[in-house]
Amino acid sequence: SPVTWVRLFSHSLGHGSREHLQQNLMVLSLVGPPCERHYGSAALARALACCSACIAVSHSAFGPPGGLLFGLSGVVFALIALSSAAGLRSGGEVPASALLTFGVWIYKELWP
């Protein structure tokens, strides 16, 4: 169905609550600009679109039947990972805050 192709990307635009939207926008505004400067706008847009599509496909394959998928959290998490990778590529170290964020996020996903 043509709508399926739209859903691969549009799920990132919806949010479960105002707090969910605020949290994602806060992290996006902190991590997004440095990633855009490092990787470039076009490359970052392609990476985030690919991430959004992969999230939708994995949710369809492994998520609960009839489960809802919405929010930008996966894309924001990808930005945090890209930001850390940018630090590694330029000879820096991974920030402790990024490691803590990874740990908390993965813990939250595996043991809700």
Side-chain angles (χ1 to χ4, degrees), residues 106-112:
I106 290 172
Y107 179 81
K108 187 178 116 183
E109 291 299 318
L110 295 178
W111 298 282

Side-chain angles (χ1 to χ4, degrees), residues 15 17 20 24 43 50 52 70 84 86 100-101 105-106:
H15 284 82
S17 66
H20 184 202
N24 283 335
C50 180
S52 184
F70 54 86
S84 297
L100 181 62
T101 303
W105 216 309
I106 290 172

Side-chain angles (χ1 to χ4, degrees), residues 54-77:
C54 289
I55 290 167
V57 169
S58 64
H59 179 75
S60 294
F62 304 112
L68 298 175
L69 174 64
F70 54 86
L72 197 62
S73 300
V75 174
V76 169
F77 186 73

Side-chain angles (χ1 to χ4, degrees), residues 31-56:
V31 182
C35 283
E36 187 176 8
R37 276 192 300 276
H38 191 296
Y39 295 105
S41 299
L44 188 61
R46 284 191 306 270
L48 297 183
C50 180
C51 178
S52 184
C54 289
I55 290 167

